Amino acid sequence: MATNLNTGQRAERKLLITVAEWNVGTNTQEREILGTRTEDSSIEFNADIETMTDIRGITYTDVNKTEPQQDFDPFFVLGGSKLAEYLSNAALENNIAAYNGTFNVYIISAFIGSSSNGYSAVKHTGCSIIPTSLGGDSYVSMPIEVHYSNNITSGTVDKLSDDFTFTATSNVNLTN
């Protein structure tokens, strides 16, 4: 799949889209694009790195695993945000099971692909979205941490909204 940026053009942050998906009933799922009113959010890979220098003075580096995480701070409790409603209820009830490993999180690379061929995306299954606090001065804020699972399915989405259809192309399990 080709990049849809002109040569030398930088991809804008809004072209890397994070979408949370969770169950609200037996046959009902909700999705929400994350990042409304969040000024800065990056996926941190948190690599487990082992470095060793041999007797000849040559340094070797091994990456054992990554534990990707993305913070959304602030994440304001906004009217119409089903995720904010779900997470704030779970947090106030101290219902850890409501957000521990219960989300699918999609990362859509809107700068790779097109509306006719689909946009490149990966789906992490079994992620945790954890509220870190709840409150604020003028407005209610609930910063969240998204902990990715590394149980990844690569694929494409047909459109850049939360009602997309995900089409899998391969499954890459990085948890082992």
Side-chain angles (χ1 to χ4, degrees), residues 21-42:
E21 177 182 74
W22 67 101
N23 293 325
V24 292
T26 308
N27 296 319
T28 307
Q29 288 186 322
E30 293 287 351
R31 284 188 187 151
E32 187 168 316
I33 298 173
L34 302 179
T36 300
R37 294 194 171 212
T38 302
E39 294 178 19
D40 181 24
S41 182
S42 300

Side-chain angles (χ1 to χ4, degrees), residues 105-109 120-124 152-155 166:
V105 179
Y106 298 84
I107 303 169
I108 303 169
S109 301
S120 179
V122 293
K123 174 184 178 182
H124 285 254
I152 299 169
T153 303
S154 298
F166 178 77

Side-chain angles (χ1 to χ4, degrees), residues 30-76:
E30 293 287 351
R31 284 188 187 151
E32 187 168 316
I33 298 173
L34 302 179
T36 300
R37 294 194 171 212
T38 302
E39 294 178 19
D40 181 24
S41 182
S42 300
I43 300 169
E44 300 167 7
F45 294 102
N46 302 316
D48 177 17
I49 299 172
E50 188 176 312
T51 304
M52 183 267 298
T53 304
D54 70 12
I55 60 174
R56 300 179 302 154
I58 298 173
T59 302
Y60 296 91
T61 303
D62 292 319
V63 178
N64 298 316
K65 64 179 178 173
T66 61
E67 295 177 0
Q69 171 186 337
Q70 187 172 10
D71 296 340
F72 291 88
D73 186 3
F75 179 79
F76 289 107

